[in-house]
């Protein structure tokens, strides 16, 4: 059966009142946990965002909270080779001539590889989230805040590993990190006085250039949504407003979704659109997207996923290949949108 599961979109409709009719901006932040899936220890992480400038970043997560400290931020321009302009955000260890050293060495020299990672359950892969378990957890917590007008057209994540050809330097791991890129929030102001502005949230399956003629790997996504009376900031997205928590939020709901990118040249369709009104007293809407690999049956020819319930509405305990469809947990995004 043909997948119509290329991307997942949810539209958060703000209350249709004159109070919001002329809103000009909305703040968004993203914090995410990502597990090292390289098969070896990683010494850093790179986040590349196309079509923005360094000035579009308002905050980054790091300091004493993770082993790598604060990231470096630099602009890139690959247009001469057919690429794009954008910003590279790099959290990394440095080579001291004999070994890799992180900004906070007591937390470890690099991110270990763990074959079977454990769900972080709303806490984060940092010192206050996993506490003493963080250094050996095999995961890291990263985060950024963007200006209201910033709109990255593409986001790519890579773990950084030592370059065997050039000791003391780091290169991107050969494949992209398993965690799909951050869901994008786009603000649309009201076109008519009294109408509701909206925030369009799109979460996509990752691109897989090596599978250009096939379907991408598939993911189950468990989506939590919370409404909060307090505006969210970058730090809130680690614990305080993470939707799996009940403190500080007015309502928490969750549902399953399924994402898989169509082959090159095939048109994907929107899987889901929902209108979620902001109730009286709401100051922020926060979503947590937990990603798990699909471990069910794939088509041998096209790599298209085939779910036991046919519609891929929720992971089944026994898939068409006889094993459970909910595969390994690869990480989670916590994204907040403040109501204007």
């Amino acid at each position: 059966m043909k997948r119509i599961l290329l991307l997942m979109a949810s539209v958060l409709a703000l209350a249709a009142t004159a109070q919001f009719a002329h809103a000009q901006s909305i703040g968004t932040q993203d914090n995410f946990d990502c597990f090292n899936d390289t098969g070896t220890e990683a010494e850093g992480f790179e986040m590349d965002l196309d079509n923005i400038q360094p000035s579009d970043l308002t905050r980054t997560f790091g300091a004493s909270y993770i082993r790598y400290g604060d990231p470096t931020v630099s602009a890139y321009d690959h247009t001469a080779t057919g690429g794009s302009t954008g910003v590279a955000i790099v959290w990394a260890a440095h080579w001291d001539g004999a070994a890799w050293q992180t900004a906070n060495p007591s937390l470890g020299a690099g991110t270990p590889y763990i074959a079977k990672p454990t769900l972080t359950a709303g806490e984060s892969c940092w010192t206050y989230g996993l506490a003493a378990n963080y250094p050996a957890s095999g995961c890291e917590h990263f985060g950024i805040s963007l200006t209201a007008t910033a709109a990255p057209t593409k986001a790519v994540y890579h773990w950084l590993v030592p370059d065997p050809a050039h000791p003391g330097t780091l290169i991107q791991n050969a494949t992209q990190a398993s965690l799909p890129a951050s869901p994008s929030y786009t603000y649309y102001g009201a076109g008519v006085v009294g109408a509701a502005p909206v925030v369009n949230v799109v979460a996509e399956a990752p691109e897989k250039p090596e599978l250009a003629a096939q379907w991408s790997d598939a993911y189950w996504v468990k989506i939590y949504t919370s409404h909060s009376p307090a505006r969210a900031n970058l730090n809130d997205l680690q614990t305080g407003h993470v939707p799996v928590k009940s403190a500080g939020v007015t309502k928490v709901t969750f549902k399953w979704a399924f994402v898989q990118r169509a082959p090159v040249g095939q048109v994907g369709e929107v899987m889901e659109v929902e209108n979620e009104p902001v109730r009286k007293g709401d100051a922020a809407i926060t979503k947590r997207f937990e990603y798990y690999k699909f471990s069910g049956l794939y088509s041998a020819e096209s790599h298209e996923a085939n779910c036991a319930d046919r519609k891929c509405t929720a992971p089944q305990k026994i898939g068409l290949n006889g094993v459970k469809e909910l595969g390994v947990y690869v990480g989670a995004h916590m994204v907040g949108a403040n109501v204007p």
Side-chain angles (χ1 to χ4, degrees), residues 206-253:
E207 293 185 25
K208 289 287 184 179
E210 65 272 24
L211 298 176
Q214 294 183 306
W215 289 80
S216 75
D217 289 344
Y219 290 82
W220 291 107
V221 189
K222 193 172 187 179
I223 309 165
Y224 293 86
T225 302
S226 72
H227 296 249
S228 172
R231 292 176 68 83
N233 60 49
L234 191 62
N235 291 334
D236 289 332
L237 300 186
Q238 288 127 38
T239 53
H241 292 288
V242 175
V244 292
K245 298 287 186 179
S246 59
V249 298
T250 58
K251 181 182 180 182
V252 178
T253 60

Side-chain angles (χ1 to χ4, degrees), residues 43-48 68-74 87-93 142 160 170 172:
E43 309 299 340
F45 188 88
E46 181 171 345
M47 182 180 187
D48 294 332
Y68 299 114
D70 291 326
T72 60
V73 178
S74 60
V87 171
I89 307 164
V90 176
W91 293 264
F142 306 108
L160 301 177
L170 296 175
Q172 294 180 347

Side-chain angles (χ1 to χ4, degrees), residues 174-212:
T175 58
Q176 295 179 22
S178 291
L179 180 68
S182 169
S184 62
Y185 275 48
T186 304
Y187 172 73
Y188 296 96
V192 179
V193 173
V198 298
V199 179
N200 181 251
V201 187
V202 178
E204 299 184 70
E207 293 185 25
K208 289 287 184 179
E210 65 272 24
L211 298 176

Side-chain angles (χ1 to χ4, degrees), residues 251-289:
K251 181 182 180 182
V252 178
T253 60
F254 84 87
K255 62 184 176 182
W256 285 102
F258 186 85
V259 291
Q260 185 178 30
R261 187 177 291 273
V264 172
Q266 292 194 32
V267 178
E269 298 180 35
V270 173
M271 187 186 85
E272 183 172 337
V273 176
E274 64 180 1
N275 291 320
E276 189 153 8
V278 173
R279 297 179 298 272
K280 183 179 180 180
D282 283 347
I285 296 176
T286 301
K287 284 184 175 285
R288 173 179 167 87
F289 299 81

Side-chain angles (χ1 to χ4, degrees), residues 30 32 45-52 76 84-87 89 144 146 151-158 176-177 179-184 202 204-208 261 333:
D30 178 28
F32 58 97
F45 188 88
E46 181 171 345
M47 182 180 187
D48 294 332
L49 301 176
D50 282 2
N51 197 41
I52 68 168
Y76 57 78
S84 303
T85 61
V87 171
I89 307 164
I144 63 170
L146 296 174
T153 54
K154 183 178 179 181
V156 177
Y157 303 158
H158 282 94
Q176 295 179 22
L179 180 68
S182 169
S184 62
V202 178
E204 299 184 70
E207 293 185 25
K208 289 287 184 179
R261 187 177 291 273
H333 283 284

Side-chain angles (χ1 to χ4, degrees), residues 4 34 44 81 136 171 202 204 210 259 264 270 293 303 305 312-313 327 332:
I4 57 171
C34 188
T81 56
I171 57 174
V202 178
E204 299 184 70
E210 65 272 24
V259 291
V264 172
V270 173
K293 287 188 176 180
H303 197 63
C312 299
T313 54

